[in-house]
Amino acid sequence: MKPETPRFAVVGHPNKGKSSIVSTLSEDDSVQISSIPGTTVKSREFPMRVGDELLYVLIDTPGFQRARRALAWMQERETDAASRPGIVKDFVLNFQDTDEFQDECELLAPLVTGAGILYVVDGSAPYGPEYEAEMEVLRWTGRPSMALINMIGDGDFASQWQDALGQYFRIVRVFNALHEDFDKRLELLRAFGQLDERWREPLERAVRGLNSDRQRRRDRGSRYIAELLYDILTISETRKIGPLDDPEDFKESLLEKFKQSLLNREAACRDRIESLYAYHKLERDEENLELFDEDLFSEQTWLLWGLNRTQLIATGAVGGAAIGAGIDLAVGGADLMLGTVIGTLVGGASAVYSSDKLAEVKVLGLPLGGNELKAGPTKNINFPYVLLGRALHHHAVIASRTHAQRDALVIERDTDSFTLRNMTDDLRKSFEKQFVAIRRNSEDGGAESATRDLADLVRRAMVEAESAVGSTN
Amino acid sequence: MIKRCSSPFVLVFYASEAVTFQKIQTHVNTPDRSTGTLLADLVDLGPELEKDDAVALADRQRRDAQFSQSLPASLGPLDRVSAWLRHRGDDSETEGERVARGRRVITLLLALAGLLTGWVVAMALFRYDGTHPVNVMWVLAVFVGLQLITLFLFLVAALPQAASRLPGLSGLQSALVGLSPGRIGLALTRLLPAGSRHALNAFVGRSAKNRRLFGGVTRWIVLHWSQVFALMFQVGAIAGALSLVVFSDLAFGWSTTLDLGAQAVHRAASALSLPWSIPAPHAVPSLDLVESTRFFRLDPKRAGDIASASAENLTRWWPFILLSMIVYGLIPRLLTLILSARRVRSNAADAIRFFPGTDELLDRMNGNIIKTQAVEPEVQMPKPTYHTLGTVESASASAAVIDWSESGLEESAIDQLLGDTLGYSRGMLQPAGGARSLAEDQSVIDAIVTVKDGPIVVIVKAWETPMLEFLDFLRDLRRAVGERRSIVVVPTGVDNGAVAPARDEDASVWAERLETLGDPWLKFKAVAA
Ligand SMILES: Nc1nc2c(ncn2[C@@H]2O[C@H](COP(=O)(O)OP(=O)(O)OP(=O)(O)O)[C@@H](O)[C@H]2O)c(=O)[nH]1
Ligand SMILES: [Mg+2]
């Protein structure tokens, strides 16, 4: 059989989530979605391409408005069942440029030129006889079809719908336009491929492409978070002041500026991750976000997002042990154990007590008179973990969101669902080693390879978090 | 003009920069791109990407994919970025090119300074006034010993992995980078024209703000400068020494207060000469030579003896000295110069490759990405005109009722709805819409017309969408019953055949739709909670 680009028209009653399904499947947040029926007025194509290759086309359409009238027109012309698809075509040709059947023509046009049917209903509201005419019209087109039960509200009439839809459509599936996860979306695409033998191959390829794209996004997301971590461990703010200026007058504002640049860096990472997942019009709950940002330096946040006390002590011990190992080396390994023990004690203690201290402002004399104030880089043990926890949470929220969700992005400020508490000791130790190396500016092979190593760890943390979430579900 | 300058010493460091290596320790392949282009690209990339933010994503995608097609497919990522940057700019000098030029000029100045210093120092150390011979000890200390010490310091500063094992070393390293003669380079920026000076200073300033991207480049630029200086110092010294050897007569001897016997000195000299002992045996001082050329400052007679001793005997030292300077001063420096030039390049390449936005740029240029979004923008719906609906008068009346599209309300429930919501009692009850044919709907209208007065109530399911089909029906109904007759549309919820309140958002959808009809006797009342 000759390959052909599969095309699918998403059709149905107005306001049943057609555009939402299209938006979710095409990851396009430019699609207009609203609770007012008749939002979509023209068909719009969403081509799925891998490189230059077109694998399938999704078509958003306006809803039926005069299905009974259209069906009546067609029935008048019916001679036998075989004539039906031709009559639908005639209908489109006949009414294309008139006002009366504008919506019907828009939605039927792709069908008469070979598109498959994805019929969408709202399974949270009861079935009614007014759907029969439009389903009959769709049957007349003779196109392969599938019905999707979308659950918009709280009611559940899915089984009632199953029975009614079963009489018109061979395949009936439940699909939640707003909240369906990635795997379910791929499963749906695969099911589209079942509608016509010739469509299977391109849709399989599309699914493979999307799957590897998800890996790419996770890898890049990890990379972006790793860059964030590297940066917040190394950036500082400096300011030159005159020989007569009192450094104390400037310390606070410099520290503020330093904090602000940390926040900016975090926000930039959020932006990058959002556009990585094709969110361009994402509305943010600014107030919530502001609070979220403010929280970055609060002790509560640190308790929440960062490591817990025990982890901190252990982590400080890791960092300290590295210092201790250094002492060992310095004294020629004579009392190898002793060095490590001292390091562990020192590191462990400071880990707990330094959580309220982000960074110091140092005063450095300048050779030509005056001083330079320097805020940062932060020496705080917990801080990178706080950012890591928040970044992983944000990534998870974005990755599991759909493009049909149009409510403002809310990043929860207090959540138990996503923290580093469950991080394995092994992974945490690897992080700490890397953090220590970056802080000492002594990464093996320079910034780039340190960032890469860090990205691998972030990727592992993502996997750990995902499996943790998965097991609680 | 600097670029075209071709004096031999300039060639030395350009050669070092031009040598291309397989990737050793570099993560991004750095093909034969000059350091200057890489630096220029790195500096220009940020502002260009920022400028680009104003362009809509779809346009950027189209534009960059199109541009990419004009490039050879074999082009690596860095070259693609570079081509993209150059394609965007006009011919005027960019900030990045100014940085690159500034660095070049300073490299050149440092090379000159090194050459000059080396020459002057050589002139001082090889000074021979005919009384005391040139002390070989001194010459070796400066041109071999000092070079070896600074070489060691360079290696300490250059090897980051060593630092994580030794406490306090990273501090020492930064101190070393701070102390290296390359720092003079930063001071020399003062001599640059304003454009290059500002550009270069701004570039160096960025490394504090973003150590990940700029730290490595800046550090290696400074270390590279110090290698340039050190190498040219040695070149100057060798040239100075050679010129003295050729154009004047020198006498060499050795002298030390330490209790070193001639044998120890001979052993040391032989050890130093090991690398060339086979190809150039004449350049290895013999024990005889060592013994006969020792002198004591406090013993001018003996010094005078040496000076007047056979010229041949004395000048036999110089091949040894010259080779020492080359083997222990010049060659290692050449290697570290090449190493540092390469590190500048690989760090700049990494920084470009991982600059925020490079990934996305390459994605746009590289066609092999997945796109699922619409290509055309969405058509906007023109806002319809809305007309206010009439208000329901609460007079008790008998109403003709139409149950649209099988609301599922029982008759008693309909009675209750009429009473509670509108204060009406029920007259005729007619089902319409739903699966019925249009002809059946028409007969409902015909039946309603037979009732001459009283309001007409149309009950609709609030959760369903008001469709044009329903509005058609209302229009037909209006035409049939004439003006002034109240038609009241009542959206209701239904719960197991009983009346339930309509949700507010549903009610307003219905109201809004009805307002588009422009029928002043059309009324609306949703079932409230
Ligand atoms: N909670 C929830 N709401 C949904 C879901 N799908 C759609 N909606 C909402 O239902 C409303 C209509 O969605 P649209 O996608 O615009 O529906 P449509 O079928 O394209 O509508 P028209 O273009 O007007 O025909 C919007 O307010 C959506 O947010 C869903 O799965 N869950
Ligand atoms: Mg729509």
Side-chain angles (χ1 to χ4, degrees):
Chain A
M1 256 176 268
K2 137 176 167 306
E4 127 191 303
T5 304
R7 289 153 42 87
F8 305 97
V10 181
V11 300
H13 236 52
N15 216 33
K16 298 301 176 192
K18 299 183 295 297
S19 299
S20 302
I21 286 181
V22 169
S23 175
T24 291
L25 291 180
S26 66
E27 304 200 331
D28 188 333
D29 58 2
S30 77
V31 181
Q32 284 191 62
I33 291 174
S34 99
S35 59
I36 299 165
T39 306
T40 311
V41 290
K42 285 269 176 212
S43 293
R44 191 171 176 221
E45 298 205 339
F46 297 76
M48 194 279 184
R49 284 175 199 280
V50 174
D52 285 338
E53 195 180 11
L54 182 64
L55 289 182
Y56 66 84
V57 181
L58 214 54
I59 307 165
D60 189 16
T61 67
F64 280 100
Q65 293 286 355
R66 294 185 167 109
R68 283 192 299 163
R69 203 172 286 265
L71 184 60
W73 186 93
M74 294 175 195
Q75 276 164 343
E76 269 171 36
R77 283 154 186 80
E78 182 185 11
T79 49
D80 53 39
S83 67
R84 288 173 174 181
I87 294 174
V88 180
K89 210 173 248 174
D90 289 345
F91 175 87
V92 174
L93 286 175
N94 213 356
F95 292 103
Q96 211 145 227
D97 301 315
T98 65
D99 279 350
E100 193 179 3
F101 292 112
Q102 227 175 42
D103 298 319
E104 279 74 14
C105 288
E106 278 292 318
L107 79 94
L108 289 173
L111 301 181
V112 300
T113 55
I117 298 170
L118 303 174
Y119 181 67
V120 180
V121 299
D122 174 11
S124 71
Y127 168 75
E130 62 266 55
Y131 291 86
E132 278 169 25
E134 62 195 40
M135 292 193 286
E136 188 62 23
V137 170
L138 293 176
R139 183 149 67 182
W140 276 51
T141 63
R143 299 304 306 153
S145 62
M146 179 191 297
L148 296 176
I149 302 177
N150 181 27
M151 305 298 269
I152 294 184
D154 301 327
D156 186 356
F157 297 87
S159 63
Q160 195 183 343
W161 277 102
Q162 297 266 11
D163 294 343
L165 292 167
Q167 299 174 36
Y168 293 87
F169 302 94
R170 206 161 44 82
I171 308 174
V172 180
R173 298 174 74 102
V174 175
F175 184 82
N176 191 312
L178 251 61
H179 300 290
E180 214 64 273
D181 67 29
F182 188 80
D183 293 317
K184 288 269 171 48
R185 289 180 236 157
L186 294 193
E187 205 181 292
L188 182 67
L189 287 180
R190 223 177 253 133
F192 290 176
Q194 311 298 319
L195 292 180
D196 186 320
E197 186 54 34
R198 291 165 300 175
W199 295 348
R200 195 158 69 212
E201 209 266 328
L203 277 147
E204 284 296 333
R205 250 179 321 143
V207 167
R208 277 201 300 276
L210 290 169
N211 240 332
S212 67
D213 201 47
R214 172 161 65 164
Q215 295 304 326
R216 181 191 66 95
R217 280 175 167 169
R218 285 179 178 157
D219 290 345
R220 281 221 183 146
S222 309
R223 167 87 206 181
Y224 295 165
I225 294 174
E227 290 179 0
L228 167 70
L229 292 174
Y230 193 105
D231 288 351
I232 59 104
L233 284 172
T234 52
I235 55 174
S236 55
E237 282 289 336
T238 54
R239 183 185 169 144
K240 290 193 173 79
I241 57 172
L244 299 178
D245 291 326
D246 181 1
E248 290 305 320
D249 296 348
F250 300 91
K251 279 189 175 175
E252 194 155 326
S253 67
L254 191 66
L255 206 54
E256 245 349 279
K257 205 171 155 205
F258 174 58
K259 285 180 175 179
Q260 195 54 52
S261 61
L262 293 174
L263 279 177
N264 291 348
R265 198 56 201 74
E266 191 192 23
C269 177
R270 284 202 295 262
D271 281 348
R272 293 181 82 189
I273 288 192
E274 283 162 23
S275 65
L276 177 64
Y277 282 87
Y279 289 98
H280 305 293
K281 298 191 167 167
L282 198 55
E283 227 181 273
R284 295 202 186 88
D285 184 338
E286 288 300 334
E287 201 180 327
N288 168 286
L289 203 62
E290 248 165 54
L291 288 173
F292 184 74
D293 280 351
E294 245 166 56
D295 281 353
L296 179 55
F297 306 110
S298 82
E299 200 174 323
Q300 222 178 342
T301 303
W302 290 34
L303 289 174
L304 184 73
W305 293 105
L307 301 179
N308 65 26
R309 206 184 153 87
T310 329
Q311 286 175 318
L312 267 179
I313 293 175
T315 300
V318 174
I323 299 169
I327 296 174
D328 289 340
L329 249 177
V331 298
D335 40 11
L336 200 82
M337 271 315 291
L338 187 63
T340 313
V341 171
I342 293 175
T344 308
L345 290 177
V346 171
S350 66
V352 177
Y353 296 117
S354 66
S355 72
D356 58 334
K357 240 178 146 57
L358 180 70
E360 291 173 21
V361 180
K362 276 191 226 128
V363 185
L364 312 159
L366 289 176
L368 301 174
N371 287 308
E372 185 172 68
L373 299 185
K374 184 173 182 203
T378 175
K379 291 215 164 58
N380 191 287
I381 290 188
N382 205 1
F383 189 65
Y385 294 97
V386 174
L387 280 169
L388 173 63
R390 283 166 42 122
L392 285 174
H393 169 63
H394 173 258
H395 178 271
V397 168
I398 291 297
S400 63
R401 195 180 162 91
T402 68
H403 289 70
Q405 272 170 276
R406 298 299 164 82
D407 46 339
L409 178 74
V410 175
I411 309 172
E412 274 155 88
R413 295 193 297 128
D414 36 20
T415 171
D416 278 336
S417 67
F418 206 94
T419 58
L420 298 184
R421 302 244 173 80
N422 308 323
M423 190 188 270
T424 55
D425 283 355
D426 179 43
L427 184 55
R428 198 199 60 240
K429 279 179 195 154
S430 309
F431 266 114
E432 190 53 30
K433 254 188 216 141
Q434 203 61 33
F435 289 164
V436 167
I438 291 170
R439 288 189 143 129
R440 293 209 196 129
N441 190 12
S442 60
E443 323 93 352
D444 281 346
E448 176 35 39
S449 83
T451 315
R452 228 162 356 119
D453 293 348
L454 207 48
D456 288 344
L457 298 178
V458 174
R459 188 74 178 74
R460 271 171 64 193
M462 265 180 202
V463 174
E464 270 191 12
E466 267 166 27
S467 59
V469 169
S471 62
T472 55
N473 273 353
Chain B
M1 109 257 173
I2 304 289
K3 241 192 270 190
R4 268 163 231 117
C5 187
S6 60
S7 28
F9 61 85
V10 178
L11 278 181
V12 172
F13 73 79
Y14 276 126
S16 80
E17 293 199 1
V19 179
T20 47
F21 284 81
Q22 299 301 310
K23 49 177 183 177
I24 305 169
Q25 278 214 340
T26 59
H27 320 112
V28 177
N29 211 347
T30 52
D32 2 38
R33 308 269 317 281
S34 79
T35 313
T37 350
L38 283 170
L39 282 180
D41 287 354
L42 176 57
V43 174
D44 293 333
L45 189 56
E48 278 307 323
L49 288 174
E50 214 163 284
K51 240 192 271 169
D52 215 25
D53 274 346
V55 183
L57 182 71
D59 295 339
R60 269 183 278 163
Q61 271 167 352
R62 204 163 330 157
R63 181 200 63 195
D64 294 338
Q66 206 167 28
F67 169 64
S68 177
Q69 288 183 346
S70 67
L71 300 174
S74 59
L75 229 48
L78 290 177
D79 290 314
R80 283 178 180 270
V81 172
S82 189
W84 182 82
L85 278 172
R86 236 162 292 155
H87 159 77
R88 286 169 64 83
D90 46 25
D91 283 341
S92 61
E93 189 179 41
T94 65
E95 172 91 357
E97 282 159 358
R98 274 196 288 277
V99 169
R101 187 159 53 94
R103 189 190 78 102
R104 236 171 7 237
V105 173
I106 288 185
T107 311
L108 194 60
L109 288 175
L110 276 171
L112 276 169
L115 195 70
L116 207 66
T117 324
W119 179 278
V120 167
V121 171
M123 287 299 154
L125 287 181
F126 286 94
R127 207 176 69 90
Y128 174 56
D129 58 7
T131 57
H132 289 95
V134 175
N135 191 343
V136 175
M137 292 297 212
W138 258 113
V139 172
L140 289 182
V142 172
F143 295 122
V144 176
L146 192 65
Q147 283 281 19
L148 286 179
I149 289 171
T150 54
L151 196 67
F152 174 73
L153 292 180
F154 165 80
L155 291 178
V156 169
L159 295 177
Q161 45 270 66
S164 53
R165 319 259 142 74
L166 294 170
L169 193 68
S170 68
L172 177 65
Q173 283 183 314
S174 10
L176 287 178
V177 175
L179 286 175
S180 85
R183 291 303 283 195
I184 306 170
L186 292 181
L188 287 179
T189 52
R190 273 164 239 231
L191 303 178
L192 293 177
S196 295
R197 184 175 68 234
H198 292 316
L200 199 57
N201 282 335
F203 179 74
V204 171
R206 281 164 94 173
S207 65
K209 288 248 188 278
N210 198 336
R211 203 182 81 195
R212 179 171 51 81
L213 287 175
F214 297 104
V217 195
T218 321
R219 173 195 173 92
W220 279 101
I221 284 178
V222 170
L223 286 173
H224 174 251
W225 277 339
S226 66
Q227 302 319 298
V228 168
F229 181 86
L231 177 73
M232 295 319 286
F233 174 87
Q234 198 73 353
V235 169
I238 291 171
L242 268 179
S243 71
L244 284 178
V245 166
V246 173
F247 299 113
S248 65
D249 61 330
L250 289 182
F252 293 95
W254 61 279
S255 162
T256 171
T257 324
L258 299 177
D259 187 17
L260 284 180
Q263 281 198 324
V265 172
H266 174 250
R267 262 201 309 279
S270 308
L272 278 179
S273 323
L274 215 57
W276 60 86
S277 55
I278 295 178
H282 292 299
V284 185
S286 61
L287 180 60
D288 196 25
L289 175 70
V290 175
E291 268 172 349
S292 65
T293 51
R294 176 161 199 176
F295 69 96
F296 300 92
R297 282 178 175 272
L298 295 177
D299 186 359
K301 187 175 141 273
R302 171 118 175 91
D305 282 355
I306 289 178
S308 60
S310 92
E312 190 211 347
N313 197 23
L314 289 176
T315 51
R316 275 209 353 240
W317 272 108
W318 75 259
F320 166 73
I321 291 172
L322 199 67
L323 277 170
S324 297
M325 286 169 82
I326 291 173
V327 171
Y328 296 105
L330 193 69
I331 293 174
R333 276 303 165 190
L334 199 56
L335 294 178
T336 57
L337 177 71
I338 292 169
L339 171 81
S340 59
R342 221 180 59 212
R343 297 298 296 216
V344 172
R345 250 197 326 268
S346 69
N347 274 283
D350 278 349
I352 293 174
R353 183 63 193 78
F354 296 103
F355 201 88
T358 300
D359 266 353
E360 290 83 351
L361 171 64
L362 288 172
D363 277 352
R364 293 198 298 272
M365 291 176 73
N366 165 8
N368 203 17
I369 48 170
I370 293 190
K371 263 187 289 186
T372 47
Q373 286 80 11
V375 183
E376 304 295 327
E378 184 153 0
V379 175
Q380 298 282 328
M381 179 176 51
K383 272 242 174 293
T385 37
Y386 296 106
H387 310 267
T388 41
L389 298 169
T391 44
V392 182
E393 62 272 21
S394 48
S396 61
S398 163
V401 179
I402 297 168
D403 182 8
W404 181 258
S405 190
E406 252 72 30
S407 70
L409 288 180
E410 283 162 14
E411 283 194 22
S412 59
I414 292 178
D415 292 348
Q416 186 204 338
L417 179 152
L418 287 178
D420 291 354
T421 310
L422 302 162
Y424 297 158
S425 59
R426 177 159 65 85
M428 173 190 287
L429 173 62
Q430 293 280 349
R436 282 175 195 77
S437 69
L438 293 168
E440 284 171 286
D441 282 358
Q442 187 54 51
S443 57
V444 168
I445 293 176
D446 294 342
I448 297 281
V449 172
T450 60
V451 184
K452 283 295 168 229
D453 52 24
I456 302 162
V457 173
V458 187
I459 297 174
V460 295
K461 296 183 278 194
W463 66 88
E464 280 299 351
T465 319
M467 310 246 275
L468 291 182
E469 201 160 73
F470 176 68
L471 301 189
D472 290 345
F473 177 77
L474 286 181
R475 271 196 218 94
D476 291 345
L477 182 62
R478 167 63 65 211
R479 214 171 295 127
V481 300
E483 295 186 348
R484 303 198 175 276
R485 183 99 177 257
S486 274
I487 299 176
V488 190
V489 177
V490 185
T492 180
V494 177
D495 185 7
N496 274 325
V499 179
R503 294 188 319 153
D504 287 347
E505 42 290 26
D506 292 340
S508 63
V509 164
W510 279 93
E512 205 169 285
R513 207 67 205 271
L514 297 176
E515 283 167 4
T516 61
L517 279 175
D519 178 344
W521 298 281
L522 181 65
K523 291 155 191 188
F524 172 81
K525 182 91 186 185
V527 175

